[in-house]
Amino acid sequence: MRVVSVAKRDGHGLGKTCCEAIELVAGEGVIGDAHRGVTVKHRSRVAKDPMQPNLRQVHLVHAELLAEVADKGFAVHPGELGENILTADINLLGLPVGARLCFPSGAEIEVTGLRNPCVQLEGHSKGLLAVLLDRAADRSLIRKGGVMAIVAVGGVVRRGDPINLISPDVARPLQPV
């Protein structure tokens, strides 16, 4: 389990700029990223209730998803799905609520739920949104756009860092946040 890339973006929009390292602030998010804050920063959620807690401080995507979308004809590069951390060799979508990802600097993030892929993805490539959504045998929606997390312990996360996973005592499945 490792970090493939890290990215951030000051303003709102889909893509983020890859860099060597990002700094996490406990209870807030990524320094220099538009989604940093104690209260929600996602524009549609701010419109509903700007005082709700920010459960979307850090966005993670698994690198295997980029390979999956490439197999379907879409060229998507690190940072382009809006993720702060691109991981490898970890089943992000299978993690339970409360799972913690720990990094060598001492930084820890706690998974809060699934990212709900939105129509902004169509601005990257027409048809990309449909690739990040699927249906299970029972017709329930499968969201493949990564997971969201909060910063439990601040620190630096670097490209290439190993990731240590700590599972919660009670495993609750992820829901969209």
Side-chain angles (χ1 to χ4, degrees):
M1 295 182 287
R2 64 185 171 83
V3 174
V4 174
S5 67
V6 293
K8 61 185 177 178
R9 180 179 177 164
D10 247 345
H12 288 281
L14 181 58
K16 295 186 187 287
T17 302
C18 290
C19 48
E20 285 298 312
I22 55 174
E23 187 172 351
L24 307 178
V25 176
E28 293 185 20
V30 179
I31 291 178
D33 193 78
H35 292 99
R36 177 182 174 192
V38 174
T39 56
V40 68
K41 300 300 175 199
H42 191 273
R43 290 181 289 187
S44 67
R45 294 176 189 278
V46 168
K48 290 179 185 173
D49 177 5
M51 298 312 295
Q52 63 185 301
N54 188 2
L55 301 178
R56 302 166 58 96
Q57 295 171 358
V58 182
H59 177 205
L60 296 95
V61 167
H62 48 295
E64 295 82 1
L65 179 63
L66 301 188
E68 181 182 330
V69 300
D71 287 346
K72 296 185 179 178
F74 296 91
V76 179
H77 303 285
E80 291 183 353
L81 293 178
E83 76 277 3
N84 298 111
I85 302 174
L86 184 67
T87 66
D89 306 319
I90 181 171
N91 179 8
L92 292 176
L93 302 179
L95 294 175
V97 172
R100 284 192 178 217
L101 282 69
C102 306
F103 304 93
S105 71
E108 292 185 23
I109 59 175
E110 183 175 316
V111 176
T112 56
L114 294 168
R115 175 192 187 194
N116 195 22
C118 70
V119 73
Q120 281 188 345
L121 292 166
E122 292 297 294
H124 180 285
S125 301
K126 187 163 178 55
L128 183 57
L129 176 60
V131 173
L132 297 183
L133 296 170
D134 205 352
R135 293 278 174 188
D138 67 358
R139 303 299 301 149
S140 62
L141 192 59
I142 299 172
R143 294 165 176 87
K144 300 180 190 178
V147 300
M148 306 307 291
I150 57 171
V151 180
V153 178
V156 175
V157 178
R158 291 179 172 78
R159 182 171 56 92
D161 273 353
I163 301 169
N164 184 36
L165 176 63
I166 300 173
S167 296
D169 292 336
V170 177
R172 294 181 299 138
L174 297 176
Q175 299 297 319
V177 294

